[in-house]
């Protein structure tokens, strides 16, 4: 009998077993990889759903904020102007033509102002106004409203070449801006609010600074955000949705700065 | 027991495949399943003949059942290529399938029909096995690049081709070295050598049976899940 045959047979059997194990390994690898891919797809889908829900929430919050502004504007401004116009009309004296002329002119100016204010208000009643007018204009409008209706001194500075971000991204950023603004109004006791937009080649830096009493941000952020501080948590969550870095810096009593850095993608367009 | 494994496990495995396809075919009446069932029915008959012929053939160069194996490998590459062609989604994969089929048909006609190869043709068979392994990898690549919402374990193709991978990859060396080992015996094998050959072919049959079982278990799994859903 040929003595080399058993060795060859054993070798072939060993190779076969090895290849069988390789085959099992390949199948397990395919299964694991497919499972991970599936998990990744599900997570992406979940993120999309969360993003859409946040967008909807942002829209509703902006709408709510807008209605508050409108109510305040009607009460504090248009109401006052129209009351003044009414007072003018009521006190018109037909026997004094000079006074009558003056009061008619004053009333006409007051009604004209009321009409202009109403026109401005009607613009902001559209919930998609951020998408329509763009982030910068919306911020400018919001700061203008605040300046007009309160003792705050506001300023807006834009550096670099402004670009339009995707509409949903702008909506989220505007909502972060509104939330930060609300925090200043509620807690900061500030007199000056400064917004700054810095358009860099790869990112947009949005900063909102106040000169208020500030707070111990270091100690605050070292702890997990308390449940009642939904404002900051919302801002953080929303910044994450648009892949932005969110930073809050504050030192008592030198005011607070909220910074959001958003990476600019190919979807952005020059204004 | 060893005689059963080395001589009769092969037709049994093909029968398991045929029955599995019959079972799965009740839910999926697509053309490719019917064609695959036809192939396994044919393979069962062919291998049953090959197994029973061992009893009355002397297994010499002039009189043996090797032709049945040569025909089986031709049928295997032909029908499985058809199945893979129908399974692939991309035109590139379909072209590769057709090209490999063409190479294998040419190879078979040249070696087994024109040169009348009377021994088991390791060269033709191992080229066919390599081609099928390549097609199975192409299928896995397709699975990984088209991850959907469905569970891959509920896909019949996945179970079938996983079984094929185990069989073809595992038995590749046996098939490739068979001619070389047969040539060493010079047509006069001793009883001990025959026993070693039986062990080797038994290993091949065992791999085929494992692959048939994998497909069968997969089919049962899929049907149970479908029943739960309905």
């Amino acid at each position: 009998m040929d003595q080399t045959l058993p060795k060859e047979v054993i070798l072939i059997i060993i190779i076969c077993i090895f290849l069988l194990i390789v085959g099992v390994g390949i199948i397990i690898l395919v299964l694991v990889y497919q499972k991970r891919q599936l998990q990744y797809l599900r997570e992406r889908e979940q993120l999309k759903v969360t993003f859409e829900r946040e967008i909807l929430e942002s829209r509703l919050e902006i709408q709510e904020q807008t209605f508050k502004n409108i109510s305040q504007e009607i009460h504090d401004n248009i109401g006052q102007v129209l009351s003044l116009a009414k007072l003018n009309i009521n006190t018109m004296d037909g026997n004094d033509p000079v006074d009558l002329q003056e009061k008619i002119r004053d009333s006409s100016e007051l009604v004209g102002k009321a009409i202009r204010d109403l026109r401005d208000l009607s613009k902001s009643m559209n919930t998609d106004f951020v998408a329509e007018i763009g982030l910068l204009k919306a911020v400018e409008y919001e700061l203008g409203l605040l300046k007009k209706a309160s003792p705050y001194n506001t300023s807006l500075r834009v550096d670099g070449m402004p670009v339009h971000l995707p509409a949903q991204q702008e909506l989220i950023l505007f909502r972060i801006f509104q939330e930060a603004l609300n925090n200043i109004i509620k807690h900061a006791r500030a007199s000056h609010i400064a917004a700054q937009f810095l358009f860099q080649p790869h990112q947009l830096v949005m900063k909102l600074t106040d000169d208020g009493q500030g707070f111990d941000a270091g100690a605050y952020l070292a702890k997990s955000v308390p449940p009642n501080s939904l404002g900051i948590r919302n801002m953080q969550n929303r910044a994450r949705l648009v892949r932005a870095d969110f930073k809050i810096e504050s030192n008592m009593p030198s005011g607070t700065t909220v910074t959001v850095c958003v990476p600019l993608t190919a979807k952005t367009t020059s204004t | 027991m060893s005689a059963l494994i080395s001589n009769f496990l092969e037709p049994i495995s093909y029968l398991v495949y045929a029955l599995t396809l019959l079972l799965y075919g009740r839910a999926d009446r697509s053309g490719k399943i019917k064609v695959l069932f036809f192939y396994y029915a044919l393979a069962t008959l062919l291998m049953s003949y090959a197994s029973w012929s061992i009893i009355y053939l002397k297994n010499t160069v002039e009189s043996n059942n090797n032709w049945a194996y040569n025909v089986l490998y031709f049928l295997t590459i032909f029908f499985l290529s058809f199945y893979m062609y129908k399974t692939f989604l991309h035109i590139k994969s379909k072209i590769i399938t057709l090209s490999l089929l063409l190479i294998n048909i040419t190879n078979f006609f040249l070696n087994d029909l024109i040169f009348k190869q009377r021994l088991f043709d390791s060269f033709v068979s191992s080229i066919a096995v390599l081609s099928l392994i390549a097609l199975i990898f192409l299928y896995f690549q397709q699975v990984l690049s088209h991850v959907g919402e469905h569970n891959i374990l509920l896909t019949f193709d996945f179970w079938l081709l996983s079984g094929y991978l185990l069989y073809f990859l595992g038995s590749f060396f046996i098939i490739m070295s068979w001619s070389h080992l047969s040539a060493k015996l010079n047509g006069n094998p001793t009883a001990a050598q025959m026993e070693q050959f039986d062990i080797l072919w038994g290993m091949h049959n065992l791999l085929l049976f494992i692959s048939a079982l994998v497909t069968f278990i997969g089919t049962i799994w899929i049907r149970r899940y479908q029943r739960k859903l309905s």
Side-chain angles (χ1 to χ4, degrees), chain A residues 135-167:
Chain A
L135 178 65
L136 285 180
K137 291 268 177 207
V139 166
E140 196 180 351
Y141 177 78
E142 194 79 2
L143 289 174
L145 271 184
L146 191 70
K147 197 175 182 177
K148 209 159 46 172
S150 61
Y152 293 105
N153 184 17
T154 62
S155 66
L156 172 65
R157 188 175 145 188
V158 180
D159 295 315
M161 177 74 81
V163 289
H164 270 308
L165 277 71

Side-chain angles (χ1 to χ4, degrees), chain B residues 27 151 154 219-230:
Chain B
N151 184 352
L154 299 173
T219 307
I220 298 287
W221 173 283
I222 294 167
R223 283 191 63 84
R224 271 187 67 182
Y225 182 81
Q226 283 170 343
R227 267 194 209 134
K228 258 189 199 173
L229 277 186
S230 60

Side-chain angles (χ1 to χ4, degrees), chain A residues 114-251:
Chain A
I115 290 170
R116 274 197 305 280
D117 288 348
L118 273 174
R119 199 172 288 145
D120 283 349
L121 270 184
S122 74
K123 269 187 205 166
S124 67
M125 282 187 79
N126 183 356
T127 49
D128 287 332
F129 81 103
V130 180
E132 275 177 19
I133 65 174
L135 178 65
L136 285 180
K137 291 268 177 207
V139 166
E140 196 180 351
Y141 177 78
E142 194 79 2
L143 289 174
L145 271 184
L146 191 70
K147 197 175 182 177
K148 209 159 46 172
S150 61
Y152 293 105
N153 184 17
T154 62
S155 66
L156 172 65
R157 188 175 145 188
V158 180
D159 295 315
M161 177 74 81
V163 289
H164 270 308
L165 277 71
Q168 291 185 329
Q169 220 171 356
E170 289 206 337
L171 191 75
I172 293 276
L173 285 177
F174 182 66
R175 188 59 208 129
I176 294 173
F177 169 80
Q178 271 193 328
E179 193 76 56
L181 208 58
N182 270 347
N183 283 349
I184 294 171
I185 295 165
K186 276 187 202 163
H187 312 290
R189 292 184 195 159
S191 59
H192 184 80
I193 300 171
Q196 190 195 352
F197 284 81
L198 173 60
F199 289 92
Q200 292 174 332
H202 301 295
Q203 68 171 357
L204 158 64
V205 182
M206 180 176 87
K207 267 187 186 178
L208 192 66
T209 311
D210 70 71
D211 59 351
Q213 61 180 357
F215 68 106
D216 191 354
Y220 184 85
L221 293 173
K223 292 180 264 170
S224 60
V225 181
N228 56 349
S229 299
L230 281 173
I232 291 179
R233 196 156 57 179
N234 276 346
M235 284 193 280
Q236 280 176 326
N237 286 343
R238 282 177 183 156
R240 207 175 298 132
L241 278 180
V242 288
R243 294 192 180 90
D245 284 332
F246 176 84
K247 205 161 67 177
I248 186 158
E249 291 164 301
S250 184
N251 279 311

